[in-house]
Amino acid sequence: MKREETEVLIVGLGPVGAALGVYLGRMGVSAIAIERDKDVYPLPRAAHLDHETMRLLHLAGGAEAVARASQPLSSYEFRNAAGELLMGFKPTGDLAPTGWPWSSMFHQPTLEHALRARLAEMPTVSTRLCHALKTYETAGEGILAEIEGPEGAYEVAARFIVGCDGGNSTVRRKAGIEFDDMGFDEPWLVIDTVLKNGVTRLSTVGLQHCDPARPVTSMPMAPGRHRFEIMLLPGEKPEDVVSDEAIAAMIAPYADASALEVERRAVYRFHALIAKTWRMGPVILAGDAAHQMPPFLGQGLCSGTRDAANLAFKIEAVLRGRAGEALLDSYQVEREPHVRMITEMAVSMGRVVCTQDAEAARQRDAQMLAAPEDKRISPLLSVDGIKSGILESGGAIAPDPGFGTAHEKSRLDDAAGYAALLIVREESEASRAFAGSGGFVARLGALPDASGRLAALIGDRQAVLVRPDRYVFGTGEASTLVAAWNAYLASGVARAETIAAA
Ligand SMILES: Cc1cc2nc3c(=O)[nH]c(=O)nc-3n(C[C@H](O)[C@H](O)[C@H](O)COP(=O)(O)OP(=O)(O)OC[C@H]3O[C@@H](n4cnc5c(N)ncnc54)[C@H](O)[C@@H]3O)c2cc1C
């Protein structure tokens, strides 16, 4: 059988595999990225992206297309059968500190096409549609995979295989990795609709209609599209709810079915699953292959994108001998608590929405309505921050202070790309060494920072070091930060003592 060699074999070109491929390609890593199907996934899925994810997708070449065809959410509201507000989330201001809208309501295929187009421009990444992973085994330090393409079967030897192959991941099953089941399993019909007569939106509000008689989600998507999610009642089967007639009756309280066209429909079981192990030697999982959550927070794809951004720089550093393998152990250590926290939040929101018992719903309503209405509204949920892989002063999502003269025209992210950033008051030997090893260095005084957020972050310190996934690694003296960063790359552990010792 024909055999090829590469550094990384990416299995699956959903949004997570495609973003990972672009990040690796931007760093010159050689990769083969295979996808079983020819076109992007045809059924309705993600409708919401948060600002952090838009920024990470921008670094992967996917955000502009989404921004051109998306709209912000004015609020996200959970209302009971009587229409009373149980809880709600409202963004504060238009743009988040990353420079992107707090929420972008979009159409997942738009993103996937854009990411694949960017991936195709990466000279070191070979993208192959209609190529499916059949099996693989570990071989030496890496893996040997068998792939079936249109011209027959062939082998690929790679240092790493990354399973971005979705919920039913072949990579995960072959490795024998099991899920931790967080106990959520509810059947929902999901419908994407196209609005007729040039209507761009039914509403700017995302609504969870928590009616025990029929829980329904109604969400704006990209302009001209609207999403409905409808919970199946006990005893209902998919074939009972998917017909045009059944859909028209179920969405009647929210929209006139004759004013829209059902584009895609699917019945899903919403799960909450987290893989017990995210890496076994050269075998790594990312995105839905590693975790799945119910969509009530709109965070599945967002979480997978964070995985890709967390992983790519670590793989590159190990391949180039700048990091020990221990750095890859930090991937699950850093990402899993974040995913677990978000999944728990999504499950608890799901429990509010999915209540079908009338008495339980009455008690829920009484309890939630006991708080005054203004206390039931919060800012958009904050899912930022990591707790490890950072120094004591780190962990927040770094603001984008802009670059050049006008923030609208240029982002620091554009100039820096997918790389670690060091922002300093004054350049020094340490900052020059950092730039020499592939990092991006900017002077604080040369950045617009119109909001003053970056200056506030640095405070009276000399510098801030930002990881390639745009979490703040830490603030302090440039030389101590660079030493701590290099120590983190070598060991996968960020220690405050490193700073003290440097
Ligand atoms: C109803 C619904 C609503 C959602 N809403 C949101 C939302 O608002 N916001 C959000 O962030 N997330 C949302 N999500 C979740 C989001 O859609 C997923 O998390 C995301 O698509 C996962 O991306 P992925 O790249 O990990 O996997 P996938 O998109 O599933 O891609 C996996 C790819 O791997 C390929 N593949 C599989 N096996 C093989 C093989 N053996 N060989 C080669 N290729 C293979 C598949 O063909 C597929 O293209 C929603 C999901 C659902 C179902």
Side-chain angles (χ1 to χ4, degrees):
M1 210 183 298
K2 192 180 97 180
R3 180 178 295 188
E4 293 178 61
E5 288 191 8
T6 189
E7 290 180 313
V8 182
L9 175 62
I10 299 173
V11 183
L13 282 180
V16 176
L20 178 68
V22 177
Y23 294 145
L24 292 174
R26 288 187 74 148
M27 293 182 294
V29 171
S30 89
I32 293 176
I34 58 166
E35 165 55 49
R36 184 180 55 193
D37 296 332
K38 183 156 180 269
D39 208 348
V40 302
Y41 190 77
L43 297 177
R45 292 201 294 177
H48 162 267
L49 294 173
D50 65 22
H51 66 102
E52 179 194 0
T53 307
M54 282 292 275
R55 169 199 237 168
L56 297 178
L57 291 171
H58 174 61
L59 297 173
E64 272 67 23
V66 171
R68 279 194 299 275
S70 65
Q71 52 186 331
L73 204 60
S74 61
S75 66
Y76 181 33
E77 299 177 0
F78 290 58
R79 292 185 177 270
N80 66 7
E84 295 163 301
L85 183 78
L86 298 176
M87 63 177 170
F89 303 93
K90 238 183 184 334
T92 42
D94 288 344
L95 293 182
T98 52
W100 292 95
W102 289 99
S103 61
S104 294
M105 304 309 294
F106 83 119
H107 187 226
Q108 187 166 337
T110 306
L111 168 67
E112 296 199 32
H113 286 300
L115 288 173
R116 285 191 187 183
R118 183 76 179 106
L119 188 62
E121 294 170 0
M122 296 290 134
T124 60
V125 182
S126 166
T127 303
R128 302 175 187 181
L129 303 181
C130 305
H131 289 240
L133 175 75
K134 289 294 156 203
T135 187
Y136 68 90
E137 57 196 38
T138 50
E141 269 200 312
I143 60 96
L144 185 62
E146 188 185 326
I147 295 165
E148 184 74 36
E151 256 116 65
Y154 61 99
E155 289 178 334
V156 169
R159 177 68 180 81
F160 294 106
I161 181 170
V162 188
C164 303
D165 46 349
N168 197 25
S169 168
T170 307
V171 176
R172 187 191 62 240
R173 283 184 288 118
K174 174 77 180 106
I177 297 172
E178 293 187 351
F179 277 128
D180 178 11
D181 188 337
M182 295 168 72
F184 195 87
D185 180 13
E186 301 292 354
W188 282 71
L189 167 67
V190 183
I191 305 158
D192 280 0
T193 68
V194 176
L195 307 177
K196 291 183 184 166
N197 305 321
V199 174
T200 52
R201 63 185 59 85
L202 295 181
S203 166
T204 59
V205 176
L207 174 68
Q208 295 290 356
H209 186 58
C210 309
D211 179 355
R214 176 72 83 182
V216 172
T217 308
S218 168
M219 280 282 164
M221 301 178 72
R225 284 197 158 84
H226 198 86
R227 157 74 53 83
F228 295 100
E229 295 174 5
I230 298 171
M231 192 178 181
L232 271 61
L233 302 179
E236 255 176 355
K237 297 190 201 58
E239 55 271 29
D240 300 332
V241 292
V242 293
S243 69
D244 285 347
E245 298 71 37
I247 289 172
M250 291 184 295
I251 66 172
Y254 314 96
D256 172 3
S258 68
L260 45 84
E261 195 175 315
V262 176
E263 183 186 34
R264 320 189 284 179
R265 65 195 89 194
V267 172
Y268 289 102
R269 296 201 78 88
F270 292 166
H271 293 298
L273 305 169
I274 299 183
K276 291 189 173 157
T277 310
W278 295 25
R279 177 174 90 95
M280 282 172 82
V283 182
I284 306 174
L285 304 177
D288 275 19
H291 46 77
Q292 292 149 51
M293 61 185 74
F296 302 105
L297 261 176
Q299 278 291 326
L301 198 165
C302 297
S303 298
T305 308
R306 291 186 195 102
D307 295 347
N310 183 291
L311 194 52
F313 76 89
K314 296 177 179 175
I315 290 178
E316 190 263 355
V318 172
L319 286 169
R320 299 292 166 262
R322 281 185 284 107
E325 284 237 351
L327 182 61
L328 292 172
D329 292 334
S330 73
Y331 166 56
Q332 180 173 1
V333 172
E334 292 170 16
R335 289 291 306 128
E336 189 191 336
H338 199 265
V339 165
R340 201 167 272 281
M341 169 196 74
I342 292 171
T343 307
E344 280 165 4
M345 281 180 353
V347 166
S348 66
M349 287 188 174
R351 298 219 189 288
V352 171
V353 179
C354 294
T355 307
Q356 290 190 348
D357 178 89
E359 177 51 25
R362 200 192 56 72
Q363 286 178 18
R364 172 201 68 194
D365 293 357
Q367 196 188 1
M368 296 179 86
L369 293 171
E373 181 156 326
D374 61 333
K375 294 278 182 295
R376 283 177 250 143
I377 305 244
S378 350
L380 270 195
L381 275 181
S382 170
V383 293
D384 61 0
I386 51 169
K387 302 279 180 277
S388 60
I390 45 152
L391 301 175
E392 233 170 87
S393 54
I397 298 171
D400 188 318
F403 196 69
T405 52
H407 189 198
E408 295 74 45
K409 293 210 177 89
S410 178
R411 300 171 188 276
L412 179 57
D413 285 339
D414 288 323
Y418 176 77
L421 276 97
L422 182 68
I423 300 166
V424 292
R425 289 189 191 280
E426 296 299 336
E427 287 185 15
S428 62
E429 211 174 296
S431 69
R432 281 186 284 276
F434 185 78
S437 65
F440 182 89
V441 176
R443 264 195 338 102
L444 177 63
L447 301 174
D449 194 24
S451 66
R453 284 196 182 97
L454 183 63
L457 174 67
I458 296 186
D460 58 1
R461 313 275 179 103
Q462 292 303 306
V464 57
L465 200 154
V466 177
R467 300 162 37 123
D469 55 6
R470 296 306 192 262
Y471 288 113
V472 174
F473 178 68
T475 55
E477 286 289 333
S479 58
T480 51
L481 286 174
V482 172
W485 176 246
N486 289 334
Y488 164 71
L489 292 181
S491 67
V493 182
R495 289 194 190 88
E497 308 90 82
T498 324
I499 285 232

